[in-house]
Amino acid sequence: MKTAKRKNRHIKTAMKKQSQFKKTNLLEEVELIHNPLVDFELNDISLSTDFLGKNFSFPLSIRPITGGTLESFKLNKNIALACEKKGIGFSLGSMRAGLEKKENLKYFKFRKFCPNVFLEANIGALQLEKYSVKRINDFLTEIQADAISIHLNPAQELMQNIKTKGFSKQFNSIKNFAEESDFPVIIKEVGNGISDKTAKKLEKTKIKAIDVAGAGGTSFVKVDSIIYNRKKLNSVFGEWGIPTAAALLIAGKVSSKKIIASGGIRNGLEIAKSIALGAELTGIAVPALIKAKKGEKKLEELIESLKQELRISMFLSGAKNIKELKKTKFVLQNNLLEWTKQTTT
Ligand SMILES: Cc1cc2nc3c(=O)[nH]c(=O)nc-3n(C[C@H](O)[C@H](O)[C@H](O)COP(=O)(O)O)c2cc1C
């Protein structure tokens, strides 16, 4: 399937209800503790935070969605404008189309629309083998990125093509890239989660952060098995993946890297819970995509409502700023406790 067609179908399919996990990200099994007597007002709360050298008005970033075509440019422009207005991070989708064809580079240039935001470029770990570190660095310099995220997506790749190869080379490519690159490296999944084994392995590299991108939101196995008409694989593997809350707790235990929580984050209380569980930053993809399709104002409204819900969550748990939220106590339940017991011993 041609790149532009595949990207448009990804966007259309990802917005459908059938592309969401039936299972949850397990953040409902985390409770922050209610604190009714505080000595500050709602509007005294400071939500701002720093991540890899840039300031965020609150700890949210739009995770990678698309890039490299005219259609994706229009969508990303809306996202870039909304992120700049609201002071949050913006991530471009895979740069592959721009590396394959020089004329596509123009579809990755957004700095003029978002001069102050933390701008993340993105590439698949399988693609690292094909391009020199210099080539990718030059691309990042050209688009004035602040960092690059590299995605691990074995489940998605197999849904596209069972014959895909190169997985065994990914770790060395990542290690080498993180050593040689001028840009901070973030490793992410695409909705199936990062395990303790993977996070421990990544300790041996110079990457700066891990986005656990767990299960409970958009399932790329579902997206690609719908697109490629693989009904049986969809029914067997559609729910595959580590729930975001579990992946977050696991990564926090075994990794010294900064952690980003994404995968099914849908409200400001989930952002607050993620920060309390150890994330430095949180992220959303499909909810942003749905709003950005309708224009930058709709996305701004969504970002504002997430921010307001985060503020209320912090007020009710007695955290006056993000530093205090990181130290806020929480209670874990049932399935989530089971995940943490089984995966970190
Ligand atoms: C249409 C679409 C395209 C995506 N493309 C990429 C990509 O190029 N690179 C990447 O790292 N993740 C990609 N993702 C994964 C998202 O960044 C995110 O990890 C995933 O959608 C889960 O977040 P959500 O539940 O908030 O949607 C894509 C997601 C969607 C919906």
Side-chain angles (χ1 to χ4, degrees), residues 80-81 83-84 90 110-119:
L81 290 168
C83 289
E84 178 70 22
F90 166 45
F110 291 93
R111 204 29 124 183
K112 64 173 181 260
F113 305 118
C114 54
N116 298 298
V117 308
F118 181 80
L119 174 62

Side-chain angles (χ1 to χ4, degrees), residues 323-340:
K323 228 180 184 175
E324 286 185 14
L325 181 59
K326 282 183 187 162
K327 291 189 206 139
T328 295
K329 287 187 185 167
F330 50 80
V331 178
L332 304 182
Q333 294 158 2
N334 310 328
N335 204 1
L336 186 53
L337 275 179
E338 225 27 68
W339 267 100
T340 56

Side-chain angles (χ1 to χ4, degrees), residues 14 63-65 93-94 122 151 188 190 217-218 220 264 266 284-286:
R63 306 314 294 141
I65 297 170
S94 169
N122 180 268
H151 61 263
K188 78 182 284 288
V190 297
T218 313
F220 241 120
R266 301 293 180 255
I284 55 168
V286 165

Side-chain angles (χ1 to χ4, degrees), residues 15-31:
M15 292 196 297
K16 291 186 177 159
K17 203 163 173 241
Q18 308 97 282
S19 298
Q20 296 292 299
F21 276 96
K22 286 203 186 90
K23 72 181 185 190
T24 70
N25 61 18
L26 288 186
L27 280 167
E28 76 282 6
E29 294 196 358
V30 181
E31 283 206 55

